[in-house]
Amino acid sequence: MQKQVRKSLFGLSFQRVALAAALVCGVMVAGSASAQSKPKIKLAYAKCAHCLSMSLVPALAQNVEIEGINFTAGSDALTALVSKSVDIAQVTYLAYVSGLDKGFDLVAVSGQVNGGSEMLLGRDTKLAADDWVGLKNLIAQYKAQGKPFRIAASRGNAQDLHMRGELAGHGIDPSKDVQFVNIPNPSDHAAALSRGEVELICSVEPFASQIRMTGVGQHFAYPYDQAAGRLTNLIVTRSDVIKEHPAEVKETVAAVVRLVDNLQKDKQAWVNSIVKATGLDAKIANEALKNAYPDYRMYRTQTRAIAGMMKDLKYVSTDVAAQAEKNLDYSFLMSVTGKPKSELGY
């Protein structure tokens, strides 16, 4: 009798353990399935102070898993987008307009961070900041001596466009009066200026602040007095991504909006992301962010002006101003922020 009771109790206990195990496994499987069913988006961004804040976006995402992929330049991020290696990319307004000129399928869905451009002279050049008359005279002296006045930038980035527009606005012909030196990787700008390979450089943060703070070069101007103003970054995607994954695009834009709101309140995480990605000192990172302006708006009028300036400067072969305006899709920003287009840069 006792054996039967023990056997019965053992059987009951075993059943309870088995039931509990089954319930735990069920929860684990359900959780795993839920995690696996979360939609994924690949997001590309560039290696500059204002761009690197995009590394914070994945942690701010809800209902979508974002994989952030870092590229040396915005042009590389654009290439990844049009080749369908990624779904969404942070690029410059310049890259956006250039891409449309090439016939690429691009749709802008949000702004991100603007600014980040600075023109710097070699440390031994005797010229005061914003002395454009003095710069014109210096360029004329080089011409008289049969020497080119060399200016460096990374061809195709926002700083290159900002500088060329600024030069033209001050009566310096970018195609005739100076000689441009293309240095694709902005981390190489300091070395070129230090070695005297160029007389002037327009660099991107945080490398511009590094040049100033290490004494390699000196500030000349912030090149924002031209059609592009200080507009720099856009978040762009393709029409097929919008058609097939509208919810994921919306969630990504929502994460970018949260990023911008956070950056306007506290920049420490932003500083940390710059230090981690570039290896530069936190003091340089903090200095760089004085020249960065978080903003998720997309500016329609300025976008058209940028397209026009790029046509004038022969960056593009056709006038894509109308298309650049048409491909600004405000619907995601409107949905996320609850604001009308009129408050989002339209």
Side-chain angles (χ1 to χ4, degrees), residues 96 100 300-301 303-304 320-330 346:
Y96 170 65
L100 293 176
R300 177 177 62 91
T301 302
T303 298
R304 291 190 66 106
V320 295
Q323 188 179 359
E325 177 184 340
K326 180 182 177 183
N327 287 30
L328 296 175
D329 186 342
Y330 288 86
Y346 184 80

Short mmCIF file of all heavy atoms in Angstrom, two decimals, residues 96 100 300-301 303-304 320-330 346:
data_model
loop_
_atom_site.label_atom_id
_atom_site.label_comp_id
_atom_site.label_asym_id
_atom_site.label_seq_id
_atom_site.Cartn_x
_atom_site.Cartn_y
_atom_site.Cartn_z
N TYR A 96 22.63 63.60 -51.60
CA TYR A 96 21.23 63.41 -52.01
C TYR A 96 20.99 64.00 -53.40
O TYR A 96 20.47 63.33 -54.29
CB TYR A 96 20.34 64.07 -50.96
CG TYR A 96 18.88 64.20 -51.32
CD1 TYR A 96 18.06 63.08 -51.49
CD2 TYR A 96 18.29 65.47 -51.44
CE1 TYR A 96 16.71 63.21 -51.79
CE2 TYR A 96 16.95 65.61 -51.74
CZ TYR A 96 16.16 64.48 -51.91
OH TYR A 96 14.82 64.62 -52.21
N LEU A 100 20.37 61.99 -57.05
CA LEU A 100 19.22 62.22 -57.93
C LEU A 100 19.69 62.57 -59.34
O LEU A 100 19.09 62.14 -60.33
CB LEU A 100 18.35 63.35 -57.37
CG LEU A 100 17.62 63.05 -56.05
CD1 LEU A 100 16.87 64.30 -55.57
CD2 LEU A 100 16.65 61.88 -56.21
N ARG A 300 12.88 72.63 -47.32
CA ARG A 300 12.52 72.55 -48.74
C ARG A 300 13.17 73.66 -49.57
O ARG A 300 13.80 73.39 -50.60
CB ARG A 300 10.99 72.63 -48.87
CG ARG A 300 10.48 72.63 -50.30
CD ARG A 300 8.97 72.64 -50.30
NE ARG A 300 8.44 73.83 -49.69
CZ ARG A 300 8.14 74.96 -50.33
NH1 ARG A 300 8.37 75.06 -51.65
NH2 ARG A 300 7.65 76.00 -49.70
N THR A 301 13.02 74.90 -49.16
CA THR A 301 13.55 76.02 -49.94
C THR A 301 15.06 75.94 -50.08
O THR A 301 15.62 76.12 -51.17
CB THR A 301 13.16 77.36 -49.29
OG1 THR A 301 11.73 77.45 -49.18
CG2 THR A 301 13.67 78.53 -50.11
N THR A 303 16.85 73.26 -49.85
CA THR A 303 17.19 72.08 -50.65
C THR A 303 17.20 72.45 -52.13
O THR A 303 18.11 72.06 -52.88
CB THR A 303 16.19 70.94 -50.41
OG1 THR A 303 16.25 70.55 -49.03
CG2 THR A 303 16.53 69.72 -51.27
N ARG A 304 16.22 73.21 -52.55
CA ARG A 304 16.19 73.69 -53.94
C ARG A 304 17.39 74.59 -54.22
O ARG A 304 18.01 74.50 -55.29
CB ARG A 304 14.90 74.43 -54.22
CG ARG A 304 13.64 73.57 -54.24
CD ARG A 304 12.45 74.38 -54.77
NE ARG A 304 12.66 74.73 -56.17
CZ ARG A 304 12.02 74.16 -57.18
NH1 ARG A 304 11.14 73.20 -56.96
NH2 ARG A 304 12.25 74.54 -58.42
N VAL A 320 18.15 69.42 -60.82
CA VAL A 320 17.25 68.47 -60.17
C VAL A 320 16.52 69.11 -58.98
O VAL A 320 16.04 68.41 -58.10
CB VAL A 320 18.01 67.21 -59.71
CG1 VAL A 320 18.54 66.44 -60.90
CG2 VAL A 320 19.13 67.57 -58.74
N ALA A 321 16.45 70.43 -58.97
CA ALA A 321 15.83 71.14 -57.85
C ALA A 321 14.40 70.68 -57.61
O ALA A 321 14.00 70.42 -56.46
CB ALA A 321 15.87 72.65 -58.09
N ALA A 322 13.61 70.57 -58.69
CA ALA A 322 12.21 70.16 -58.55
C ALA A 322 12.11 68.74 -57.99
O ALA A 322 11.27 68.46 -57.12
CB ALA A 322 11.50 70.26 -59.89
N GLN A 323 12.94 67.85 -58.47
CA GLN A 323 12.91 66.48 -58.00
C GLN A 323 13.40 66.38 -56.56
O GLN A 323 12.88 65.60 -55.76
CB GLN A 323 13.77 65.58 -58.89
CG GLN A 323 13.62 64.10 -58.56
CD GLN A 323 14.44 63.22 -59.47
OE1 GLN A 323 15.12 63.70 -60.38
NE2 GLN A 323 14.38 61.92 -59.25
N ALA A 324 14.41 67.17 -56.22
CA ALA A 324 14.93 67.17 -54.85
C ALA A 324 13.84 67.59 -53.87
O ALA A 324 13.74 67.05 -52.76
CB ALA A 324 16.12 68.11 -54.75
N GLU A 325 13.00 68.56 -54.30
CA GLU A 325 11.86 68.97 -53.46
C GLU A 325 10.80 67.88 -53.41
O GLU A 325 10.31 67.53 -52.33
CB GLU A 325 11.25 70.25 -54.00
CG GLU A 325 10.02 70.69 -53.22
CD GLU A 325 9.35 71.92 -53.81
OE1 GLU A 325 10.01 72.68 -54.56
OE2 GLU A 325 8.16 72.14 -53.51
N LYS A 326 10.47 67.33 -54.56
CA LYS A 326 9.43 66.30 -54.64
C LYS A 326 9.75 65.08 -53.80
O LYS A 326 8.87 64.46 -53.20
CB LYS A 326 9.24 65.88 -56.11
CG LYS A 326 8.18 64.81 -56.32
CD LYS A 326 8.11 64.42 -57.79
CE LYS A 326 7.10 63.29 -57.99
NZ LYS A 326 7.07 62.85 -59.42
N ASN A 327 11.03 64.72 -53.71
CA ASN A 327 11.44 63.50 -53.01
C ASN A 327 11.70 63.72 -51.52
O ASN A 327 12.23 62.84 -50.85
CB ASN A 327 12.68 62.90 -53.67
CG ASN A 327 12.37 62.25 -55.00
OD1 ASN A 327 11.44 62.66 -55.69
ND2 ASN A 327 13.12 61.24 -55.38
N LEU A 328 11.31 64.87 -51.01
CA LEU A 328 11.29 65.09 -49.56
C LEU A 328 9.96 64.57 -49.04
O LEU A 328 8.91 65.20 -49.23
CB LEU A 328 11.46 66.57 -49.22
CG LEU A 328 12.77 67.26 -49.61
CD1 LEU A 328 12.69 68.75 -49.30
CD2 LEU A 328 13.95 66.63 -48.89
N ASP A 329 9.96 63.43 -48.40
CA ASP A 329 8.73 62.80 -47.89
C ASP A 329 8.57 63.15 -46.42
O ASP A 329 9.25 62.61 -45.55
CB ASP A 329 8.82 61.28 -48.08
CG ASP A 329 7.52 60.57 -47.71
OD1 ASP A 329 6.68 61.18 -47.01
OD2 ASP A 329 7.36 59.40 -48.10
N TYR A 330 7.64 64.07 -46.15
CA TYR A 330 7.42 64.54 -44.78
C TYR A 330 6.46 63.66 -43.98
O TYR A 330 6.26 63.89 -42.78
CB TYR A 330 6.87 65.97 -44.79
CG TYR A 330 7.85 67.03 -45.20
CD1 TYR A 330 8.07 67.34 -46.54
CD2 TYR A 330 8.59 67.72 -44.25
CE1 TYR A 330 8.97 68.31 -46.93
CE2 TYR A 330 9.50 68.71 -44.61
CZ TYR A 330 9.69 68.99 -45.96
OH TYR A 330 10.61 69.96 -46.32
N TYR A 346 9.05 72.60 -44.40
CA TYR A 346 8.45 72.69 -45.74
C TYR A 346 8.24 74.15 -46.12
O TYR A 346 7.77 74.95 -45.32
CB TYR A 346 7.13 71.94 -45.78
CG TYR A 346 6.50 71.91 -47.15
CD1 TYR A 346 6.95 70.99 -48.09
CD2 TYR A 346 5.50 72.80 -47.49
CE1 TYR A 346 6.40 70.96 -49.37
CE2 TYR A 346 4.94 72.78 -48.77
CZ TYR A 346 5.39 71.87 -49.70
OH TYR A 346 4.85 71.84 -50.96
#
